Every structure is written in C-alpha cells, then in structure tokens.
Amino acid sequence: MKSAATMQSSGRIDDLLPSILRHENVSRVSDEGIYILDRRLLPFERKEVFCPTWRECVSAIKNMVTQGGGPLEVALNAIIHTSRTAPGELKEAVEALSLSRPTNTTMKREIAAVYSGYERGGDIERLCMEVFNRYDRYYDLMSDIGESLINDGDGILTRCFPEHTFMLSCAKARRNGKRIRVYVPETRPYLQGAHLTEPCLREMGIECFLITDAMPSHFMREGKINLYMTAADLAFQSGIVVNKTGTLSDAVSALHYGIPYYAFSVSPSDSSEDIVIEYREGNDVRRIGNVQIASEDATALYPCFDIIDPEFVSGIITPEGIYEGNSRWNRNR
Amino acid sequence: MKSAATMQSSGRIDDLLPSILRHENVSRVSDEGIYILDRRLLPFERKEVFCPTWRECVSAIKNMVTQGGGPLEVALNAIIHTSRTAPGELKEAVEALSLSRPTNTTMKREIAAVYSGYERGGDIERLCMEVFNRYDRYYDLMSDIGESLINDGDGILTRCFPEHTFMLSCAKARRNGKRIRVYVPETRPYLQGAHLTEPCLREMGIECFLITDAMPSHFMREGKINLYMTAADLAFQSGIVVNKTGTLSDAVSALHYGIPYYAFSVSPSDSSEDIVIEYREGNDVRRIGNVQIASEDATALYPCFDIIDPEFVSGIITPEGIYEGNSRWNRNR
C-alpha cells in the first residue's frame, strides 16, 4: 500500500528534493500501522521504525526518531491509521500527539484543526491529505522566495537540518545557474548537520563543507559566508525566531559581519507568550551516540533551542512573502 | 628519578593546581627518556607516552599527545635528555621541536633562547630549569590579575583548555570566598573542554557546566554568563588574540551582550605578521575518536584557530599587568 501522502502529492517539488525528504521516506501508513524513517541512524543505516498504533508514534516523536517537519507527517499518518482502526481513540490520539514535542506548535495547530474539522463532520482522511498538499505548496512558494535571495557565488551558512524550504531554495538556485557553496555545522548533540544536511546537499550535487559548531564566525570573518538561512522551530510576528541552539550565536556574528539572516516559517505566530524551551538530558551532551565523551559525574546542560531576538533577523520567509515584522525589528536593516 | 621540573618548583602554585597540570603529570624526564601524559585519553585513562629521544617527542607534539603549555614542558625535558645522552644532536633537536606545532611560538621562542644561552657557554640544564621556574612565577602573577577580575557570583565562560592561569584564577577566587560557576564548551573536534577543563574544575571543587560548542550565546542572552576568559595560543600587542576555533564566536557575542573578554598571554608579540593558522585533517571533523559521525565522502574543514580582532578584546592579561594595546583597541571599551 502506498503512503497516503504520496498518493496525492503534486510531484512538483519531489523531483528537486533529496530522497529522505520525499513523503514516502519520512513516514508512511499501511493497514498494519505507521512506518517512520529513523533519522537517528542516517546516513549510515536506512531503517524504519514500525508503530502499530498512535501510541508508539507518540513515543517515536518523543525519542527523536524524526524531527523538523517529520512529526507533523507522522501525526497525520497516525490520525489516518487511527481513524481506520480505532476511531474511538481519535480524540485521545490527537491530544497525546500534540504533547509529544512541546516546541512543535505547527504540528499541534494543524492536527487540532484537522480534529476540529472532523468534529464538524469532515472526512478525516481528506482533511489530513489537505494538510500534506498544502505544505507541499507552502514549501514550493517559500523556496521561490529563498531562491530569490541567493546570488551567484554565495557562501551560505545554515544550522541543524533546514529541510524542504532551504533544500528547495538551493536546488532552484542551482537550476537557475547560480554557483553556491553551503557551510554545514555538525550540530551537536544530535549531529543533524553531519547526518542529514550534508548528505542531502551532496546528493543534490551542491558544494558543501562540514564544519564544527563553533566555526561559522571563523568563515564569516574571512568573508567566505555572506548569507545565513535556517528553518525555524517557531517564529513570531514580533520578529522572534526560535531555532536549534547555536542559531543565536550564528545570528549575532552575522549581524556583526553584515550578513543577512533569514528564517523560513510557514506561519509566524502573533503572540510570543507561549515560548517553551525544552531542556533535554545532560546525557545527550555527555555522549555521542553510545560513546561517552565526558565523565558521568559532569553536570551537563542541554537547552534545545535558542531565542533569536528581532534585531538579528533580516526577515522571516513565509508562503505569503518575507515577513519583516514591526518597526523595532526593521531598525537594524 | 624525579622530574627535572619538580625538583625546583616553588610549590606555591602546585597546591592550587588540578593534578594534570602539575609538572610531573605534564611531562617528566628520566635516564631512559621522556614521559608525556597522554591528554588525548583523559579523563577515562591516565597513561604516559614514552619517548626514548627528542625525535619521538617531536612526533608526540605533532600528534597532539599534549597541547597548550604542554609542548614547552616536553621540549625542555627533551633538551635536558638530549644534553645528557646525545649533546651533538642538540641543535637539530631544538630546530625540529620548534617546528612541531607552527602556532606555538612561545615554545619556539623559549627553546631558541635556551639554545642561544647554551651556545654562549651556559649550562643547558640550568637554563631549562630557569624557564620552568619563570613560567611558574608568570602563572602565579597572571592568576593574581585574573582573580582580581572575578566577582562573587560570576558566571564565567571559557573555551578549550585554559590551563594554569585560568585554573589558578578560579582557585584563588574560591580561596577568597567568591562563589563562581564556569560554563565549559566541549570544544570539538578534540573535546578538550569535556576531557580536560570540566574534570579539572570539578576536581578543584568549582561548580561547572559542560555545554556544547554553540551554546555560549544562549546563556549570555539569559544573563547567566558575565565574564569570558581564555588562554591564548598567540597574542599580539596590537590587541589581536589567536585561540582555539570558537573563541571568535564567543567574543563577538560577549561584545554584543556587554560581557568583558580577557585572554591570558605570557608575552604578547609586537608584530602580528607571522600569524599561521593551522588547518588539520577533515577526518578530525568526520570522526570523534574512532567513531565515524559523518560520511567519508563529506568535505570537512578544520581551521584550528580563530583570529580575534582587538575590538572584541577587553584586555590581555600578562605577568606585567593587563595589556590594553593601542588606541584602536581601546576604542570599544
């Protein structure tokens, strides 16, 4: 059985995406349950985590089997599967999935809207497919804008795994004959830069350099980086961006060296009162995979996200255009 | 046989130092050869590399068995041993040791002076001991200044392994009743923060937090860090500091958040024309120890050092006082 998403995707962006971002390789649903590509094992092993019910999907999302836009696709597939096999559990499933990663408010909002449409009599599978297709359109529109900000010869810094919008922006820039190179910080502790971003860009034939997390300023000072672009775990109309720890450090240096910083966000929220910064276990810092890199007795801190204040943000790229926020935010650019 | 250094050290600073910085635990010389504590194995294993002659010392320094102030101590012990066993090779030994790490100009300068004193008829062992003792005095003086810049309640950021001067500054601050906490970035790719700095501070009873390399700005924004102090691989009277990659990123953020940055340097050079930035192998970025963290096909860049321009440097702490450089350098503070 094909993935629910694949059945209706337009295919327009699929040809440009690296393989792990195509719907069927993020998560797929079958009669038996939900399959999720385990991003934690990439690039060395390609293996799916099988979830018989939404309950295992909640655990998988909590355990970082997938991240970024992945949890939304998993949640939609979990809802489709639950509606087919245990419709009485739908409300409980939606609530538990919503809470599986506190910072992922996009997933929370979209599945709440799906459930609310269902309560008003909508067909739940159709409502889920509409979300899949709408996001494909968003990515296409946002990457058109991203591409327009890239110049021939640019050295672009990113951080963590910037997913569809950034990858498509680079792919389109390349298709338009722009020569670019991308600097990719490895992004400890989970190493999404080393494990996901660098292999994707290489697969796409884009010149890229893997660096450690503290090196971006080095290459900014040397004039080798002249554009900074990331995804956003959260963004706000006030101009605040919330993204993987390290983004603030890059953004402060970018402002100092006159390098514009753009974040991609489908829908910046109008209130920034609900910023919840997850702290994860110190073990994630003391270990790399199963390898101990520090003493068990070391006290380690791991705040997952940085809050990047508006003064550092040149613009938030949305499907409707570049959001430039309030006057305070525009002051520095 | 005791270490040459230990025989004459004053003992004044030894009581305050963490164990791995005491002379006999850095490197020691015996009739058979030179022993070097292998810092690459710390904190999990305490093992010495044995070097029968100066030639193996050159390789050990190149292979990062020790770093920071370690190569100077190894070079002095290698010269002492060569003068006892193969005095005819002294000139060749000094030249090869000088070239073993291009950025370590302090070692280069000190052993050149020792050799020049020897050529003028000096006793080479006495000349070497004078260097050991002089550095102990330097560390004592510099850490008095470092201590004076620390306030009760301070959150202090460091980077890499800041060795004697920083450790002694913290020890003296603590002895004087100041409560401090230190934030220690793990410092990829060699993880000196996780392997050396954090265990030393913990051994000394100082509260410290291990973080990943991209997190300092996060804690600066939260107001938890209010002082930044590092060693300096090189420093110049123009106000330029050269130190482990990542120091620039921290220093840019420190300036932005109004946090003073001080670097320790025994003798800032008067000319910055000879800055040589080592690039090490991409393999060091693609691997952590023996663990592969990125594809072998990834192109990885590893510049060892950052150049920190004077605008970011509040002062360079030397044995003679805080060096504040030229007027351009003072402009921003």
Side-chain angles (χ1 to χ4, degrees):
Chain A
M1 179 178 184
K2 283 186 81 182
S3 147
T6 312
M7 287 189 288
Q8 296 195 23
S9 85
S10 67
R12 278 197 306 161
I13 60 172
D14 260 28
D15 299 341
L16 292 173
L17 281 173
S19 62
I20 65 162
L21 286 179
R22 292 175 200 146
H23 291 299
E24 69 273 21
N25 297 326
V26 175
S27 169
R28 59 193 176 88
V29 61
S30 80
D31 292 342
E32 295 78 37
I34 304 95
Y35 294 84
I36 311 171
L37 181 68
D38 193 341
R39 290 189 181 172
R40 297 171 305 184
L41 305 177
L42 295 172
F44 307 111
E45 209 178 328
R46 202 173 265 234
K47 206 170 141 184
E48 289 178 318
V49 168
F50 172 65
C51 301
T53 74
W54 59 268
R55 287 173 216 278
E56 292 78 18
C57 289
V58 170
S59 304
I61 294 172
K62 278 189 182 158
N63 293 332
M64 301 285 291
V65 171
T66 189
Q67 38 72 269
L72 172 60
E73 303 204 23
V74 171
L76 292 169
N77 284 336
I79 290 169
I80 290 171
H81 186 260
T82 307
S83 77
R84 291 175 186 168
T85 58
E89 294 177 8
L90 263 176
K91 191 181 165 67
E92 193 188 350
V94 168
E95 276 167 8
L97 288 162
S98 287
L99 297 170
S100 59
R101 291 212 65 194
T103 315
N104 203 314
T105 53
T106 303
M107 182 260 279
K108 201 180 291 188
R109 186 183 61 239
E110 293 293 350
I111 67 175
V114 161
Y115 189 73
S116 147
Y118 166 71
E119 283 190 311
R120 290 194 309 271
D123 177 80
I124 198 147
E125 291 208 26
R126 209 183 52 75
L127 288 162
C128 287
M129 291 317 304
E130 190 280 323
V131 179
F132 274 115
N133 291 328
R134 183 159 41 84
Y135 273 77
D136 280 357
R137 286 195 306 279
Y138 287 162
Y139 297 148
D140 198 24
L141 289 165
M142 291 159 80
S143 57
D144 281 347
I145 300 171
E147 193 281 338
S148 75
L149 296 165
I150 296 173
N151 293 314
D152 184 34
D154 271 356
I156 311 171
L157 175 69
T158 188
R159 168 70 63 178
C160 200
F161 182 42
E163 297 206 277
H164 305 73
T165 44
F166 179 73
M167 294 296 166
L168 289 171
S169 299
C170 291
K172 290 175 178 179
R174 193 164 169 272
R175 194 176 56 183
N176 291 345
K178 297 174 184 174
R179 285 156 303 177
I180 58 172
R181 50 188 199 289
V182 182
Y183 292 81
V184 182
E186 56 188 11
T187 317
R188 279 272 292 142
Y190 290 129
L191 297 164
Q192 295 97 329
H195 291 175
L196 305 175
T197 309
E198 190 280 334
C200 281
L201 289 164
R202 194 155 32 84
E203 177 193 329
M204 294 160 71
I206 288 165
E207 188 177 18
C208 59
F209 302 109
L210 184 68
I211 59 177
T212 73
D213 287 343
M215 288 181 191
S217 303
H218 183 95
F219 296 105
M220 288 184 192
R221 182 184 176 279
E222 292 190 339
K224 290 181 179 150
I225 289 169
N226 53 323
L227 181 60
Y228 182 36
M229 283 181 158
T230 70
D233 287 281
L234 284 174
F236 298 92
Q237 290 174 20
S238 61
I240 290 175
V241 170
V242 175
N243 197 46
K244 185 75 193 177
T245 322
T247 309
L248 175 60
S249 168
D250 299 337
V252 173
S253 282
L255 179 64
H256 180 84
Y257 288 106
I259 296 161
Y261 168 46
Y262 293 98
F264 293 93
S265 170
V266 165
S267 54
S269 310
D270 53 6
S271 160
S272 47
E273 276 166 30
D274 57 342
I275 299 182
V276 180
I277 298 297
E278 291 176 54
Y279 262 73
R280 288 190 166 258
E281 293 214 9
N283 267 341
D284 289 337
V285 173
R286 286 189 295 264
R287 293 178 193 160
I288 295 179
N290 294 322
V291 183
Q292 192 77 26
I293 64 148
S295 164
E296 278 296 331
D297 298 327
T299 304
L301 303 177
Y302 175 17
C304 284
F305 301 101
D306 275 343
I307 296 173
I308 300 98
D309 294 298
E311 62 187 306
F312 305 114
V313 184
S314 306
I316 297 175
I317 301 170
T318 76
E320 284 79 40
I322 301 178
Y323 195 90
E324 295 191 331
N326 62 26
S327 59
R328 176 169 167 264
W329 183 22
N330 286 324
R331 197 185 52 188
N332 287 283
R333 296 280 171 184
Chain B
M1 181 177 180
K2 281 186 83 182
S3 148
T6 312
M7 288 189 292
Q8 296 195 24
S9 86
S10 67
R12 278 197 308 163
I13 61 172
D14 259 29
D15 299 341
L16 292 173
L17 281 173
S19 61
I20 65 163
L21 285 179
R22 292 174 200 145
H23 290 298
E24 69 273 22
N25 297 327
V26 175
S27 169
R28 59 193 177 88
V29 62
S30 81
D31 292 342
E32 294 79 35
I34 304 98
Y35 294 84
I36 311 171
L37 181 67
D38 192 341
R39 290 190 182 173
R40 297 170 305 182
L41 305 177
L42 295 171
F44 307 111
E45 208 179 330
R46 202 172 265 233
K47 206 170 140 183
E48 288 178 319
V49 168
F50 172 65
C51 301
T53 75
W54 60 267
R55 287 173 215 277
E56 291 78 18
C57 290
V58 170
S59 304
I61 295 172
K62 279 189 182 158
N63 294 331
M64 302 284 290
V65 170
T66 189
Q67 37 72 269
L72 172 61
E73 303 203 24
V74 171
L76 292 169
N77 284 336
I79 290 168
I80 291 171
H81 186 259
T82 307
S83 78
R84 292 176 188 167
T85 57
E89 295 178 8
L90 263 176
K91 191 180 164 69
E92 193 188 351
V94 168
E95 275 166 9
L97 288 161
S98 286
L99 297 170
S100 58
R101 291 213 67 193
T103 315
N104 204 313
T105 53
T106 302
M107 182 259 280
K108 201 180 293 189
R109 186 183 61 240
E110 293 294 351
I111 66 175
V114 162
Y115 189 73
S116 145
Y118 166 70
E119 283 190 313
R120 290 196 308 272
D123 177 81
I124 199 146
E125 292 209 25
R126 210 183 52 76
L127 289 162
C128 287
M129 291 316 304
E130 191 279 323
V131 179
F132 275 115
N133 291 328
R134 182 156 43 82
Y135 274 77
D136 280 358
R137 286 196 305 278
Y138 288 161
Y139 297 148
D140 198 25
L141 290 165
M142 290 159 79
S143 57
D144 280 348
I145 301 171
E147 194 280 338
S148 74
L149 296 165
I150 296 173
N151 293 314
D152 184 35
D154 271 355
I156 311 171
L157 174 70
T158 189
R159 169 68 66 176
C160 202
F161 182 42
E163 297 204 278
H164 305 72
T165 44
F166 179 73
M167 295 295 167
L168 289 171
S169 299
C170 290
K172 290 175 178 180
R174 193 164 171 272
R175 193 177 56 184
N176 291 346
K178 298 174 184 174
R179 286 156 303 178
I180 57 172
R181 52 187 198 291
V182 182
Y183 291 81
V184 182
E186 56 187 12
T187 317
R188 279 273 290 143
Y190 290 129
L191 298 163
Q192 295 97 328
H195 291 175
L196 305 175
T197 310
E198 191 280 336
C200 281
L201 289 164
R202 192 155 34 83
E203 177 193 330
M204 294 161 69
I206 289 165
E207 187 178 19
C208 59
F209 302 109
L210 183 68
I211 59 177
T212 72
D213 288 342
M215 286 180 191
S217 303
H218 183 96
F219 296 106
M220 289 184 191
R221 182 185 176 280
E222 291 189 339
K224 290 181 179 154
I225 289 169
N226 54 322
L227 181 60
Y228 181 36
M229 282 181 158
T230 69
D233 287 280
L234 283 175
F236 298 93
Q237 290 175 19
S238 61
I240 290 175
V241 170
V242 175
N243 198 45
K244 185 76 193 173
T245 322
T247 309
L248 176 60
S249 169
D250 299 338
V252 173
S253 282
L255 180 64
H256 181 84
Y257 288 106
I259 297 161
Y261 167 46
Y262 294 98
F264 293 93
S265 170
V266 164
S267 54
S269 309
D270 54 6
S271 160
S272 47
E273 275 165 32
D274 57 341
I275 299 181
V276 180
I277 299 297
E278 291 175 54
Y279 263 73
R280 288 192 167 257
E281 294 215 8
N283 267 342
D284 290 337
V285 173
R286 286 189 295 265
R287 292 178 193 158
I288 294 179
N290 295 321
V291 183
Q292 192 78 24
I293 64 147
S295 163
E296 278 296 332
D297 298 327
T299 304
L301 302 177
Y302 175 17
C304 283
F305 301 101
D306 275 342
I307 296 174
I308 300 97
D309 294 299
E311 62 185 306
F312 305 114
V313 183
S314 306
I316 297 175
I317 301 171
T318 77
E320 283 79 41
I322 301 178
Y323 195 89
E324 293 189 334
N326 62 26
S327 58
R328 177 169 168 264
W329 182 23
N330 286 324
R331 197 185 51 187
N332 289 282
R333 293 281 169 184

